[in-house]
Amino acid sequence: MGINRRRDDIYAYVQRTARDRAALADALATVEEFNSRLAAGRTPWFWPTIGAALITKHHWLVIACDSCNTITEMDLTMKPRDPDAPIRVALNDVRCLRCNGHGRRRIMGLARFPAP
C-alpha cells in the first residue's frame, strides 16, 4: 500500500481557492475603482492590468475616438497578451474605422459585456 496524500491535496486545494478568491476580490476592486474614476471624469492615476480585467470577466475594453466621437469595443481575450501589462497597451491594436486611425483614442472603461 502506498502513502495516502489525500489530506495534503485537500489542504492545498483549500489554500489555492482562498488565494484565488482574494486575488479576484482585489482585481474586482481595482477594475471598479478605475471605471468609477473614468465615469466621474477624473484622471485615472493607475491602469489595471490585462490579467485583472480577464480575472474579473471585464474583458471588453470600451474605446472612444475623440476626433469623430466613435465608440469601439475590443475583446481582450481574442489576442494573447502579457497579463502583467496595463490595459493601455491594447490601444496600440485599435484603429478607428471612421477616421482611418488619425484620431486620438482614449479608454472609456472596462465592461463585462459588449454594448447592444
Side-chain angles (χ1 to χ4, degrees):
M1 300 231 171
I3 298 173
N4 188 356
R5 291 193 169 93
R6 181 174 164 84
R7 184 180 314 153
D8 295 336
D9 292 342
I10 291 172
Y11 180 74
Y13 173 76
V14 169
Q15 293 297 320
R16 187 172 54 246
T17 56
R19 280 193 312 268
D20 291 347
R21 202 173 315 121
L24 176 64
D26 288 343
L28 188 59
T30 301
V31 168
E32 287 175 351
E33 175 68 22
F34 175 75
N35 282 338
S36 67
R37 288 188 71 84
L38 285 178
R42 298 187 327 217
T43 303
W45 294 106
F46 63 94
W47 293 97
T49 62
I50 292 176
L54 296 177
I55 286 173
T56 60
K57 309 250 187 297
H58 284 80
H59 55 87
W60 286 96
L61 186 63
V62 182
I63 302 164
C65 178
D66 285 339
S67 64
C68 64
N69 295 325
T70 302
I71 295 179
T72 308
E73 295 168 334
M74 183 173 127
D75 190 3
L76 293 175
T77 62
M78 287 293 126
K79 181 178 176 184
R81 292 182 178 87
D82 182 22
D84 294 330
I87 60 170
R88 183 115 171 85
V89 300
L91 280 181
N92 296 335
D93 299 334
V94 176
R95 193 169 138 182
C96 180
L97 297 174
R98 193 170 193 189
C99 61
N100 200 15
H102 296 294
R104 182 179 176 273
R105 303 167 319 255
R106 66 180 164 86
I107 295 176
M108 292 183 60
L110 291 165
R112 278 186 174 251
F113 305 105

